[in-house]
Amino acid sequence: MKKAALHNLGCKVNAYETEAMQEMLEKAGYEIVPFQEGADIYIINTCTVTNIADRKSRQMLHRARRMNPNAVVVAAGCYVQAQEDKQEVDPCIDIVIGNNKKQDLITILKEYECAHQGKSCREEQFQGEEMDSSLAQKEADAHEGPCREMIDINHTKEYEALHLSKTGEHTRAYIKVQDGCNQFCSYCIIPYARGRVRSRRKEDVVEEVKRLADNGYQEVVLTGIHLSSYGIDFEEEHENLLSLIEAVHEVEGIKRIRLGSLEPRIITEEFTAAIASLPKMCPHFHLSLQSGCDETLKRMNRRYTSDEYYEKCQLLRKYFDQPALTTDVITGFPGETEEEFEKSRAFVEKVGFYETHIFKYSKRHGTKAAVMENQVPEQVKAARSDVLLALNETQRRRYEESFLGKEVEVLVEEEAVLDGKRVQVGHTKEYMKIALDSEENLQNCIVKVEIENDLQIIH
């Protein structure tokens, strides 16, 4: 039995795809082992959202090669997809699998093994049938660089068929329901790595949620590259993110529904009122911002103003009691002056987010922002990032303290030791991480607890 090790980099969509590939390997008879020495196959699902993500992807690929020089090293996902037009590939890679080809992982591995062992794929796999010309070519090219399995991601309408029946977590399951993006923000490489919007059929999503519920999962998180665009590629106009949420809400056994990152424009009165009427919906919303300055937003091609964004936050607070609002902010975008940064900082303070994820602008080759004038020095980006990090800490603490003395529902996920004491740990609907003073195993139970002090809230 061959041993396979997987490592994921990047977003929750990548994490879903990595777990789906692991499940495919298990069903095909591979033994899944930790990402350390001893594996026969190393699969790294790469990320390219920033320069740091690129570097981490290369580091993990090189690490895999060092751990076993004779192993098959597979580079999958966004980093290699974005490098599609480059003739040379890192010599430590044996197989390159682009986006929308991960569903073919097992076939790709078998074809590669046939070619590199000098065996006849016809004899081993097709039992007398004539060998496909593409397989013959792979065998002929076996020692002429890595095997490339890629498509032109920018010209496909196919949603990649990946499925899960279990995940690495025992209580919460992330479910990919959408891929691709049509927005083309001026700083973002992802539309080039993921292609255009492609949505997963509602019936397929619901069937997967049912399987996960049957396996004991009580919370699902709907994720996508641009989740708010779910359904825009369907001919049926009535299918959209709201209709998907409502369908998932009907699945027995599911107690909580959480959403991935949303664009502000989806937060309308109708949408917000509808999801607020669903008891399983968690009051936890990640609303992508990137900048609180209108001039910067325009250069980013974000298609909304700070006033419009603020209205969406107020809508959520109108329909939900103390919703947890989280966001992303980029510092040092090309042309961002001190005045523009101050506008952005003041806006973040005005909204009062639970958490703000701060990123220093990262130049991505092929995007409009990469060739803009007035690139901001790294030390200025870092200084501005520090300012927002300090503000984030203040706002996070203020939000959490507003729950002191209140009763909340916690979905217990694991047992842990905190300050030498055994506790049960889980998350509230707002996604605050809470420690329960109990030695009883409460995993996968939803319990009500009063937050007595801020020591109960784990960071």
Side-chain angles (χ1 to χ4, degrees), residues 167-173 215-218 412-414 443-444:
T167 76
E169 297 190 43
H170 301 293
T171 59
R172 178 184 303 105
N215 286 331
Y217 294 88
Q218 298 195 66
V412 179
E413 297 152 27
E414 61 182 349
Q443 186 172 323
N444 210 23

Side-chain angles (χ1 to χ4, degrees), residues 359-407:
F359 300 89
K360 291 174 284 188
Y361 168 71
S362 180
K363 186 186 292 188
R364 312 307 292 134
H365 176 71
T367 63
K368 289 184 177 180
V371 294
M372 284 182 176
E373 295 180 351
N374 301 316
Q375 296 284 327
V376 178
E378 288 300 319
Q379 63 268 28
V380 175
K381 296 178 192 177
R384 293 174 182 174
S385 177
D386 288 343
V387 170
L388 291 183
L389 285 168
L391 177 58
N392 172 62
E393 181 63 20
T394 299
Q395 292 188 322
R396 178 193 58 76
R397 182 173 294 276
R398 182 182 299 135
Y399 179 80
E400 291 174 348
E401 287 177 349
S402 72
F403 283 85
L404 294 180
K406 295 184 178 180
E407 187 177 72

Side-chain angles (χ1 to χ4, degrees), residues 241-276:
L241 183 58
L242 178 57
S243 65
L244 177 66
I245 294 168
E246 290 171 336
V248 171
H249 193 272
E250 295 301 311
V251 177
E252 292 185 14
I254 296 300
K255 303 293 179 60
R256 291 180 174 183
I257 300 171
R258 208 177 292 276
L259 302 178
S261 180
L262 298 173
E263 285 293 311
R265 285 177 296 171
I266 200 172
I267 308 298
T268 62
E269 189 95 29
E270 178 186 10
F271 178 84
T272 311
I275 61 173

Side-chain angles (χ1 to χ4, degrees), residues 114 118-125 131 139:
C114 287
K119 296 179 180 178
S120 169
C121 291
R122 173 169 52 88
E123 292 177 4
E124 183 168 305
Q125 292 179 258
M131 186 191 299
E139 210 168 313

Side-chain angles (χ1 to χ4, degrees), residues 34-290:
F35 198 86
Q36 56 193 33
E37 292 183 9
D40 302 300
I41 301 165
Y42 292 94
I43 300 170
I44 296 89
N45 199 11
T46 62
C47 178
T48 192
V49 69
T50 63
N51 287 326
I52 292 174
D54 281 356
R55 185 167 69 246
K56 287 182 178 179
S57 296
R58 292 190 294 269
Q59 287 173 343
M60 292 309 299
L61 290 163
H62 292 174
R63 179 181 169 191
R65 175 57 67 209
R66 288 195 302 271
M67 288 192 295
N68 185 355
N70 297 316
V72 176
V73 176
V74 180
C78 292
Y79 171 66
V80 289
Q81 186 72 54
Q83 306 288 320
E84 179 186 11
D85 59 344
K86 293 190 176 181
Q87 294 300 313
E88 294 185 7
V89 178
D90 195 307
C92 76
I93 301 171
D94 296 307
I95 302 175
V96 174
I97 302 179
N99 288 323
N100 261 45
K101 292 294 288 183
K102 297 167 190 173
Q103 60 189 345
D104 301 324
L105 172 65
I106 303 304
T107 300
I108 292 168
L109 288 174
K110 287 182 178 178
E111 290 176 358
Y112 181 88
E113 183 179 0
C114 287
H116 284 256
Q117 287 184 353
K119 296 179 180 178
S120 169
C121 291
R122 173 169 52 88
E123 292 177 4
E124 183 168 305
Q125 292 179 258
F126 299 98
Q127 300 179 350
E129 296 180 13
E130 185 176 353
M131 186 191 299
D132 184 273
S133 60
S134 65
L135 300 186
Q137 185 62 46
K138 286 188 176 76
E139 210 168 313
D141 295 342
H143 301 289
E144 297 181 7
C147 168
R148 291 178 184 246
E149 295 288 346
M150 305 182 79
I151 64 169
D152 181 354
I153 198 67
N154 292 296
H155 293 88
T156 183
K157 295 182 179 179
E158 177 191 358
Y159 181 86
E160 186 173 23
L162 295 171
H163 301 89
L164 280 182
S165 59
K166 60 185 179 64
T167 76
E169 297 190 43
H170 301 293
T171 59
R172 178 184 303 105
Y174 290 86
I175 301 175
K176 178 186 170 187
V177 303
Q178 180 274 335
D179 208 339
C181 181
N182 298 350
Q183 298 302 298
F184 289 94
C185 298
S186 61
Y187 54 83
C188 188
I189 194 67
I190 296 306
Y192 304 97
R194 284 284 180 173
R196 304 295 75 74
V197 168
R198 305 180 301 285
S199 303
R200 186 176 181 182
R201 288 288 167 185
K202 181 174 72 176
E203 296 76 14
D204 190 29
V205 175
V206 170
E207 282 304 308
E208 182 161 292
V209 173
K210 287 179 178 178
R211 285 197 302 273
L212 290 162
D214 289 342
N215 286 331
Y217 294 88
Q218 298 195 66
E219 180 178 312
V220 292
V221 187
L222 305 182
T223 66
I225 295 301
H226 195 260
L227 183 61
S228 300
S229 294
Y230 177 86
I232 66 169
D233 53 322
F234 291 155
E235 293 181 2
E236 307 92 332
E237 293 183 2
H238 62 280
E239 295 293 1
N240 52 37
L241 183 58
L242 178 57
S243 65
L244 177 66
I245 294 168
E246 290 171 336
V248 171
H249 193 272
E250 295 301 311
V251 177
E252 292 185 14
I254 296 300
K255 303 293 179 60
R256 291 180 174 183
I257 300 171
R258 208 177 292 276
L259 302 178
S261 180
L262 298 173
E263 285 293 311
R265 285 177 296 171
I266 200 172
I267 308 298
T268 62
E269 189 95 29
E270 178 186 10
F271 178 84
T272 311
I275 61 173
S277 70
L278 304 175
K280 298 178 183 179
M281 178 59 57
C282 291
H284 170 217
F285 302 99
H286 187 88
L287 210 58
S288 183
L289 174 61
Q290 309 307 349

